[in-house]
Structure formats: structure tokens, C-alpha cells
Amino acid sequence: AVRGLLLDVSGVLYDSGGDGGVPIAGSVEAVRRIKASGLKLRFCTNETQATREKFVKKLQGMGFDISVAEVTAPAPAACRILKERSLRPHLLVHNDLVPEFAEIDKANPNCVVIGDAAENFTYANLNEAFRVLIGMEKPVLISLGRGRYYKETDGLKLDVGAYMKALEYACDVQAEVVGKPAKMFFESALAEMGVPPQQAIMIGDDIVNDVGGAQRCGMRALQVRTGKYRPCDENHPDVKPDAYVNNLAEAVDIILQQL
């Protein structure tokens, strides 16, 4: 029995872009149908280029029925970790994400937090983060995801994982990943829905972080052929989705037929 759905956002609901992005055909109506069905729903995103409030407002402007309370995202989870462990971060993140860390002490940093900083991924900024880490006796690197790339309307873009790996290599440190595919991230979303993993399905466009991460948590997972999907994903050596679907609308058709 299916009681809850977890939806990736970028590449499943919409394709992002410099102009804000565009909805993927059928996705607005698909979200509406999920909510009308009575299934529990969480939007699980590794989006770290904006606060949840700004991100949700953009999606609402595209016609999506979505609220901030329905979004599981890395930055709030990272803030909880920072507070629990009395960590003071040096931030290498997008300017629009900085307000998420407004209540966090950032004086005299004793860790580095890295997100999808986009144009802020300059040599100078990466080198500054490197110097903070290399100067610590026990470096702490927290990454808001480990995606390799994502899709915008003008093509594929390098994601935070590439820059995280550079800092790991330079500082001989293992990053702590807060977003997908971390098990804790999916468990948090499931807990917020009140649904056990065996009664939930994840729908995403990332074969490793969405599909693989959800399956390791005990969920079933579908991969859409939108967003960052590439045909070679269907021959992935390690991750085999429970099904491939052309888009979110098709996935919803299949799931609702089985209720």
C-alpha cells in the first residue's frame, strides 16, 4: 500500500533557469491530483540557491500548490546540526541562501558549510574555504548535497558535489552530506509525513541521489525521464529504479490507479 509520496523538485516539477524556470508539462496538475487523492506529500529538494520562502514563492507563481511547511530542504537541517554541535560556519553558499543562517553564530569559524554557490564558486572563494579547513586540527566540512550536475533551461550545470570533492581532496577530509542522498534527509521527510518507508515512493530525476538514496532508506523509487535524466542512467551499474516513467504526470497516473 502507498500512503505517501516524496517528490524531487528541480527536474521533476520544473526546469530551473536564469529567468526563474518553466514547469514541466503536466506537473502542476499532477501535484493537484496527488493532493486530491489524500496521499501524504513532501517536496524533497537539494535546492540551495534560495531560502525555502523564496523558492516556494517562485513555484507558487508557476501554479504549483505548495507551501513552505511541505518542503524538506538541506539548509534548515544544517542549521539544526550547527546549533546542536556548537559549530560556527564559514559559508560558501549562494547569496540568496545566506538568510537561512541568520540565527547562526558565524564568528571565528570552526567548520565550513558548502552549498550550490553558482557564481560564488570562484577560485578566491574556494581557496578561502580551503584555508579555513586546512587551518583546523580536525576539519569539519558540511555539504548541502553532493549532486554532480543539474539541468537548467540553457543546459547542464555543475552542482555542489564537484566543489565538495575538491575541498575533500585538498584537505584530506570527508564531508558530512546533509541533503540527498543522506539517509537522515529521507528519514526526516518520512517522519514529517508520518509514513514508514515501505509505504512511500520517491519520484526523482537523479539516479543516484534521488533513486538510490531513497531505496537505501527502504522506499520504492521511480525515475522520471525529465530534468537531468540521461539514457545512460538506464544502464547504471549500481542503482535500478523500481520503474522508469516519462514524467511526473505518468507516475501519478500509475500510482493512483493502484490505490
Side-chain angles (χ1 to χ4, degrees):
V2 179
R3 289 180 50 214
L5 297 182
L6 286 72
L7 303 185
D8 181 30
V9 179
S10 179
V12 174
L13 301 188
Y14 83 116
D15 283 325
S16 59
D19 56 353
V22 294
I24 293 170
S27 59
V28 172
E29 178 61 23
V31 170
R32 194 174 293 125
R33 291 177 66 203
I34 293 169
K35 292 200 168 185
S37 74
L39 288 171
K40 300 287 186 70
L41 177 62
R42 293 296 296 181
F43 299 92
C44 295
T45 179
N46 271 4
E47 168 66 42
T48 56
Q49 287 194 14
T51 62
R52 281 181 302 165
E53 287 77 9
K54 187 173 180 179
F55 181 56
V56 165
K57 188 175 181 180
K58 178 175 75 172
L59 291 170
Q60 289 171 341
M62 294 181 190
F64 288 103
D65 180 3
I66 181 174
S67 67
V68 172
E70 295 172 310
V71 176
T72 302
C79 287
R80 287 195 295 271
I81 291 170
L82 294 170
K83 289 178 179 178
E84 288 168 3
R85 292 163 56 182
S86 299
L87 292 172
R88 302 178 303 278
H90 169 82
L91 298 177
L92 179 51
V93 300
H94 197 283
N95 291 340
D96 289 345
L97 190 71
V98 172
E100 289 272 21
F101 297 88
E103 297 180 8
I104 300 296
D105 181 7
K106 294 177 280 291
N108 189 25
N110 57 2
C111 74
V112 168
V113 172
I114 184 172
D116 180 12
E119 284 75 15
N120 280 350
F121 278 136
T122 63
Y123 175 80
N125 287 344
L126 276 166
N127 200 52
E128 186 178 1
F130 159 73
R131 286 177 171 174
V132 172
L133 284 170
I134 206 71
M136 298 177 192
E137 185 176 345
K138 294 182 178 179
V140 177
L141 174 61
I142 296 174
S143 185
L144 307 180
R146 70 173 192 197
R148 295 174 296 165
Y149 54 85
Y150 56 93
K151 184 186 178 188
E152 290 198 337
T153 50
D154 61 348
L156 298 176
K157 303 289 179 73
L158 276 176
D159 204 350
V160 61
Y163 303 95
M164 177 198 84
K165 287 293 184 182
L167 291 175
E168 282 187 331
Y169 177 70
C171 302
D172 193 22
V173 62
Q174 185 79 38
E176 301 175 37
V177 179
V178 175
K180 294 176 293 186
K183 190 175 182 181
M184 179 183 70
F185 185 87
F186 289 106
E187 288 175 341
S188 176
L190 289 167
E192 288 160 357
M193 289 196 302
V195 173
Q198 63 270 22
Q199 294 182 347
I201 295 176
M202 173 74 198
I203 303 173
D205 68 329
D206 188 315
I207 186 75
V208 174
N209 293 331
D210 294 335
V211 175
Q215 288 178 332
R216 284 194 299 274
C217 212
M219 285 185 274
R220 285 165 286 175
L222 310 182
Q223 184 177 17
V224 292
R225 295 187 177 100
T226 56
K228 70 169 69 172
Y229 163 84
R230 298 167 69 202
C232 62
D233 290 344
E234 303 202 22
N235 298 311
H236 196 280
D238 303 315
V239 183
K240 306 296 179 188
D242 291 88
Y244 292 93
V245 290
N246 288 321
N247 49 45
L248 177 61
E250 184 178 298
V252 172
D253 282 342
I254 293 168
I255 292 166
L256 295 187
Q257 285 170 10
Q258 297 176 359
L259 292 182

